[in-house]
Amino acid sequence: MTLLERGPLLAQLRDLLVESRHGRGHLILVSGEAGIGKTALVEAFCTDAARDVGVLWGSCDAVVPARPFAPLVDIADKVNGPVREALNAVDRNRVFDAFLALLRQPRGSPGLVVFDDLHWADEATLDLLRVVGRRIRDLPILFIGTYRDDEVGNEHPLRLALGDIPAGVGLEIEVPALSVDAVEILIEGRGMDAVALHGATAGNPFFVTEVVAAGQGEMPATVRDAVFARLARLSSAGQQILRAASVLGRACEPALLREVADGDLAAIEECVERGMLQLDGGLLRFRHELAQRAVREGLGLSELTALHCRALAALRQATPVDPGRLSHHAVEAGDAAAVLELAPTAAERAVGLGAHREAAAHYAAALRCASELDERSRAELLECHARESLVIDDVDSALASQQEALDCWRRLGDVRAEGNCLRALSLVTWFSGDGERAIEVAERAVELLESVSAPSLELARAYATLAQRYLVGVHDELVVLSWSERALELAERLGDEPVAVHALATLGIAEIYLGKEPGWAKLEESFRRAKAARLQDDAARALINLVEAAGDLRRYDLVGRYRDEAIEYLTDQDVDLNLYRRRLDSDLAEVALERGRWQEATELANALLCERRSAGVIRLKALTVLGRLRARRGDPDPWSLLDEALELTGPQGEREQLCALQAGRVEAAWLEGDTVLARAEAENMLPLGVERLIDPWWRGELGFWAWKGGALDQLPEGAAEPYALHFAGRYRAAASAWETIGCPYHQALALADSEDEEDLRRALEIFQSLGARPAASLVVERLRALGVRTIPRGPRPRTQLNPAGLTSRELEVLALLGQGLRNADIAERLVVSPKTVDHHVSAILRKLGVPNRIAAAEEAVRLGLEDREILGAK
């Protein structure tokens, strides 16, 4: 069919290609609904561009789990050399290096690279997209990716990957539907009603062409009906070929298809001649995935299973085949023995290539068939699944599998394996938010491993794990020092660099909180050694702890330095360190809260809460930040957030986070003027042992709010100086100390307790600039009590309508969300399509940093937009 109404898009792509060839590379995302013509547009462009530049094309597949580096596998078949060697070596870093070298080579670089159907991309491919996106400006490459925008929401992995690419690098081109005029051209001479066809298909080119090809007098109701109408016109042999092709993936070899379908070459030729299949580079494929899906979904269960069985048998006889492809057919065929043989192998390959999400899925598939395994094999498989689940931040699955593995080892009576399993379980348990249980598990691991062997690598790892658990629990730092030193000494004696690096980091952290300056150097050394040994997790841990410690100790100059180093490292590693990135963001959200950068804190914390599977400790911190922000700004219902945070922690959760949460709960009650609740919350935090906290800043924070809440008569000894000055009534000195540090809210709190009018006015000014309405109201009451009549009102919330840089149309949509309207209602009011409203709502959620439309509606009310007059609305 002729490519209609795509001239302006092709011209835009040509202009971008010219810019790219002059050394200014571009990343282009071609988006639109399924069947809208994204691939057809890019294919037409590539055909034209191939006269001047090399073109490399690879596609993602609609299979679960996805093939690691699927587009690159397609490309490697064309370029061979280092890319193919790196893939065969199952070495993720070599793959990245080889592909970048291919793009950078002075002669023979492709010029144009296409990754089709990125909505199905595996984790490794998305990481490769990050790698290219961060370097594209320096590459003479036009890199095009296509994706279905109706399948990519705010939490889709592709959306998250695109969020890691620098702003201004990517450009999105949305492919529109065909007009009635275009449909009229497509049906010319066929006696069909263009307006009716356009209305039935919404101008979707694939649906239009399928209906036209079906040639029925009566309009098919769905794409599937149109495909089936065409299928019915084939011979029985041709139909069998199509049914077999529908289960063989995006493309398949003709010989394989003949064997699976038990057909002949003539039947294949019939399907190609009728336009149902296309021959492309020696492989057969459907004209569109929608047609393939329609045929596959029309198969009965018995036929579907039989075809997958035949596919598995045929592929086993072929030359080396991707184990993920074999595993897929084994799963669909219901062949448990084959799944147990193939899925773990596919998972191991996925791990090596960095596709951890796909690895976890392969292990999960094997576990569903694991009833036939012996106890030891089952335990090993469970631990593999737990490890990969934790890497992708699926803590619940990791916890369940690790605990089940522990039960297996106990039934076997294998004490050493039980001890190792307990060590791993301690980490998973901590990520789930149960700090007390994590410590108990780590202690038991050490006890078991000490009982069964002489000093060993396993024991050194258990010592290091226990030291870390003590570090993040409410324990004396001197105990942490002891266990860290024991782990470090044993690891270095046995030559275990990973454990030594880990123990050194824990030792450095403990020394920092004890006020020992050499601790910073130890933690920095841990990072350097981890980086040199390519221990990405340990390097990330060291950097994030540097940021976190600097924030806790109010060393904001160091926060900036270590933050930049952490971001640079996490960005440059090109591996999935999302768990650490989120941990870093949670730390930065806390820093932004204390430094008065409340919009930044809101965006960071809300983005973390958008991640449904975020680890408990990360979610707890984000909830605490948002709860304290709501309380400080006087926004509705801070308690729902603070209560949810409380549910995520046990009696011994992470020390600093318990401090922040408990202090925030007292503060929220105090700001509401509820003295009874404030005292109750203050008394609840006394069991934390405020006086036993080594860190003077957390000792001061908890002691200060316990005092404000009425549970303490004086601050604990050793509280940080600004808190002590405040308690002593030296308000200006305390405020000056907080100002020097860079904490305006605490600065204003100190001035607010003064009897001096000038101090109170300054406190009011700061609170009003922050938007801290409850605290500002308390200062206003004090000024009035002093007889002051002229009191600044401060900026009204309704004059601050657009803090997130929304467009005028997005502000209108946000205002209507604030009125409680649904998308369909908003579309009717603004005279636009519901799909357009969907796009606006997605953009609003992203810019405001909120997880859902309810939170966006709350923000609209807070900004005073809910009664905004909408110009041009019906």
Side-chain angles (χ1 to χ4, degrees):
M1 292 289 181
T2 305
L3 200 61
L4 301 173
E5 298 183 336
R6 301 299 186 246
L9 300 183
L10 290 169
Q12 184 180 7
L13 289 172
R14 281 193 291 270
D15 291 341
L16 291 167
L17 179 60
V18 170
E19 288 185 19
S20 297
R21 294 185 66 191
H22 285 86
R24 186 182 175 189
H26 289 285
L27 172 63
I28 309 300
L29 296 166
V30 178
S31 65
E33 66 183 28
I36 204 66
K38 303 178 294 296
T39 301
L41 170 71
V42 178
E43 283 179 338
F45 171 64
C46 289
T47 299
D48 180 58
R51 293 175 294 185
D52 302 313
V53 299
V55 179
L56 295 178
W57 185 297
S59 301
C60 304
D61 303 322
V63 295
V64 179
R67 285 189 303 154
F69 286 125
L72 210 51
V73 171
D74 295 344
I75 289 171
D77 290 337
K78 303 178 181 70
V79 299
N80 289 317
V83 174
R84 168 57 63 196
E85 293 168 4
L87 287 169
N88 290 341
V90 194
D91 188 326
R92 175 195 190 88
N93 291 326
R94 278 185 62 185
V95 171
F96 290 154
D97 292 343
F99 187 60
L100 287 174
L102 175 65
L103 300 185
R104 287 173 174 151
Q105 59 189 16
R107 292 186 179 181
S109 63
L112 178 56
V113 178
V114 179
F115 278 15
D116 197 20
D117 289 329
L118 282 171
H119 48 279
W120 291 322
D122 64 284
E123 189 176 7
T125 297
L126 293 179
D127 280 340
L128 182 61
L129 184 66
R130 291 182 175 97
V131 172
V132 173
R134 288 194 289 265
R135 295 162 176 80
I136 193 69
R137 286 173 172 158
D138 301 322
L139 296 171
I141 299 294
L142 183 64
F143 192 103
I144 301 177
T146 73
Y147 76 95
R148 295 179 183 174
D149 57 3
D150 52 345
E151 295 187 19
V152 178
N154 288 333
E155 297 179 32
H156 192 281
L158 173 59
R159 185 67 66 196
L160 299 178
L162 295 176
D164 290 336
I165 294 173
V169 168
L171 174 66
E172 185 156 342
I173 297 177
E174 184 176 356
V175 181
L178 297 177
S179 68
V180 174
D181 291 340
V183 174
E184 182 77 55
I185 294 172
L186 289 173
I187 65 172
E188 185 177 1
R190 296 177 182 268
M192 304 177 76
D193 186 331
V195 174
L197 180 56
H198 185 272
T201 62
N204 182 290
F206 176 74
F207 197 179
V208 170
T209 54
E210 284 299 306
V211 171
V212 171
Q216 292 182 319
E218 186 176 334
M219 186 82 66
T222 65
V223 170
R224 182 175 173 179
D225 292 336
V227 171
F228 280 5
R230 298 184 66 188
L231 181 65
R233 295 198 177 113
L234 295 174
S235 66
S236 59
Q239 292 180 28
Q240 183 60 25
I241 288 289
L242 276 191
R243 287 196 288 268
S246 73
V247 306
L248 289 177
R250 188 181 185 97
C252 61
E253 303 81 353
L256 173 65
L257 179 56
R258 288 177 59 187
E259 185 170 352
V260 174
D262 193 21
D264 55 24
L265 189 59
I268 293 178
E269 290 173 345
E270 178 189 7
C271 293
V272 173
E273 289 170 0
R274 296 290 184 90
M276 299 297 287
L277 292 178
Q278 295 176 332
L279 186 61
D280 180 11
L283 298 175
L284 291 163
R285 65 180 73 243
F286 278 82
R287 189 170 69 87
H288 198 284
E289 185 271 338
L290 289 175
Q292 182 178 15
R293 187 195 309 175
V295 174
R296 186 175 61 249
E297 291 178 351
L299 298 175
L301 180 60
S302 60
E303 184 178 13
L304 181 65
T305 301
L307 286 171
H308 278 292
C309 283
R310 293 179 64 87
L312 177 61
L315 286 169
R316 279 182 178 274
Q317 303 302 316
T319 54
V321 177
D322 177 3
R325 187 178 184 187
L326 292 171
S327 177
H328 166 70
H329 288 298
V331 170
E332 296 299 325
D335 187 338
V339 171
L340 288 173
E341 173 196 351
L342 298 167
T345 303
E348 289 168 11
R349 176 177 173 79
V351 171
L353 293 173
H356 297 285
R357 189 174 66 244
E358 287 67 35
H362 281 301
Y363 282 130
L367 284 174
R368 288 193 291 272
C369 303
S371 59
E372 302 300 320
L373 287 177
D374 62 81
E375 200 83 277
R376 182 172 297 276
S377 298
R378 180 176 173 79
E380 291 170 348
L381 185 60
L382 284 162
E383 290 208 73
C384 289
H385 178 249
R387 181 195 67 221
E388 292 306 303
S389 295
L390 186 61
V391 169
I392 64 173
D393 203 9
D394 184 359
V395 178
D396 290 342
S397 296
L399 187 61
S401 288
Q402 195 70 38
Q403 183 61 57
E404 193 174 346
L406 179 63
D407 295 339
C408 292
W409 294 125
R410 283 175 171 166
R411 286 192 292 269
L412 285 168
D414 189 329
V415 178
R416 185 189 297 273
E418 181 184 350
N420 280 325
C421 185
L422 282 166
R423 179 185 59 79
L425 180 61
S426 174
L427 179 63
V428 182
T429 303
W430 178 74
F431 271 112
S432 75
D434 191 345
E436 181 180 24
R437 172 65 177 155
I439 291 172
E440 293 173 354
V441 171
E443 290 173 336
R444 179 59 177 159
V446 167
E447 180 183 343
L448 286 178
L449 290 171
E450 284 184 332
S451 71
V452 297
S453 67
S456 62
L457 295 180
E458 292 88 350
L459 185 58
R461 291 168 189 153
Y463 285 161
T465 298
L466 182 58
Q468 187 185 27
R469 295 292 81 75
Y470 282 151
L471 176 69
V472 297
V474 185
H475 277 75
D476 189 332
E477 263 76 357
L478 295 174
V479 175
V480 179
L481 289 179
S482 173
W483 285 103
S484 299
E485 290 167 348
R486 194 181 306 185
L488 180 59
E489 185 278 328
L490 182 55
E492 293 194 327
R493 175 151 51 96
L494 298 174
D496 191 329
E497 182 68 355
V499 174
V501 164
H502 193 279
L504 182 61
T506 304
L507 182 61
I509 296 164
E511 288 188 359
I512 288 171
Y513 283 101
L514 281 168
K516 298 181 177 182
E517 281 298 309
W520 298 99
K522 285 187 174 67
L523 197 48
E524 290 176 353
E525 181 189 349
S526 173
F527 166 66
R528 289 192 298 272
R529 287 173 62 172
K531 184 177 180 181
R534 303 191 75 171
L535 301 170
Q536 288 100 337
D537 288 283
D538 287 291
R541 176 191 174 227
L543 281 174
I544 289 169
N545 274 288
L546 284 165
V547 173
E548 193 167 277
D552 288 343
L553 299 178
R554 309 304 195 270
R555 299 278 297 272
Y556 294 130
D557 57 328
L558 293 180
V559 169
R561 181 182 124 202
Y562 292 135
R563 175 203 61 210
D564 294 343
E565 194 169 356
I567 291 173
E568 180 182 358
Y569 177 78
L570 293 173
T571 298
D572 288 346
Q573 287 316 291
D574 301 326
V575 297
D576 185 1
L577 295 172
N578 284 330
L579 187 61
Y580 294 100
R581 289 190 180 99
R582 288 194 281 272
R583 183 62 187 258
L584 176 63
D585 284 346
S586 71
D587 292 332
L588 295 178
E590 278 194 328
V591 170
L593 171 67
E594 295 308 314
R595 302 210 68 186
R597 300 169 181 169
W598 289 359
Q599 183 60 34
E600 179 185 343
T602 299
E603 292 172 0
L604 286 168
N606 269 322
L608 291 169
L609 293 181
C610 286
E611 294 286 336
R612 294 180 181 176
R613 296 188 308 190
S614 280
V617 291
I618 295 173
R619 185 171 182 82
L620 189 155
K621 187 172 288 193
L623 288 165
T624 300
V625 167
L626 283 180
R628 298 191 82 170
L629 271 172
R630 282 192 187 180
R632 291 181 181 184
R633 292 190 304 205
D635 292 343
D637 193 20
W639 290 102
S640 62
L641 299 173
L642 296 173
D643 287 343
E644 184 180 346
L646 190 62
E647 291 173 1
L648 290 175
T649 185
Q652 288 191 15
E654 187 179 358
R655 176 193 52 205
E656 290 84 357
Q657 200 46 46
L658 282 171
C659 292
L661 173 58
Q662 295 289 0
R665 292 178 69 86
V666 178
E667 181 186 7
W670 179 78
L671 288 171
E672 291 175 353
D674 191 335
T675 57
V676 175
L677 180 58
R679 185 179 183 91
E681 291 291 346
E683 289 175 346
N684 285 340
M685 70 183 180
L686 293 182
L688 289 175
V690 178
E691 70 286 347
R692 298 198 311 271
L693 291 169
I694 300 297
D695 177 9
W697 291 97
W698 284 116
R699 185 182 297 189
E701 177 79 353
L702 254 68
F704 176 80
W705 285 110
W707 168 58
K708 280 286 190 181
L712 288 180
D713 295 328
Q714 60 182 14
L715 293 190
E717 185 178 351
E721 183 185 28
Y723 295 106
L725 290 170
H726 189 154
F727 176 77
R730 299 176 59 189
Y731 304 119
R732 285 191 180 180
S736 177
W738 283 119
E739 183 177 18
T740 300
I741 292 168
C743 296
Y745 183 77
H746 281 284
Q747 176 190 353
L749 282 176
L751 294 171
D753 277 351
S754 173
E755 298 293 333
D756 185 89
E757 179 182 337
E758 181 182 345
D759 290 344
L760 291 172
R761 284 184 177 276
R762 178 58 179 147
L764 180 60
E765 179 185 350
I766 295 172
F767 283 140
Q768 288 176 339
S769 69
L770 291 171
R773 294 189 295 275
S777 297
L778 294 175
V779 176
V780 168
E781 291 178 9
R782 298 207 63 213
L783 284 167
R784 287 175 178 161
L786 292 175
V788 177
R789 293 188 177 182
T790 306
I791 301 174
R793 295 182 60 185
R796 299 181 64 190
R798 292 172 185 269
T799 67
Q800 305 170 1
L801 295 180
N802 194 12
L806 302 180
T807 66
S808 57
R809 177 61 88 183
E810 288 166 353
L811 281 171
E812 292 174 343
V813 173
L814 179 58
L816 295 173
L817 286 174
Q819 296 175 19
L821 272 64
R822 297 176 297 110
N823 284 12
D825 300 324
I826 294 173
E828 184 177 354
R829 286 281 298 276
L830 298 179
V831 198
V832 296
S833 71
K835 184 177 179 180
T836 297
V837 175
D838 290 342
H839 286 307
H840 285 314
V841 170
S842 295
I844 290 167
L845 297 182
R846 185 172 63 254
K847 290 182 179 181
L848 291 179
V850 295
N852 52 49
R853 57 188 296 116
I854 296 174
E858 290 179 356
E859 187 69 4
V861 174
R862 190 181 75 80
L863 294 173
L865 291 172
E866 77 279 7
D867 54 359
R868 172 189 173 106
E869 182 179 354
I870 309 300
L871 298 177
K874 288 170 49 176

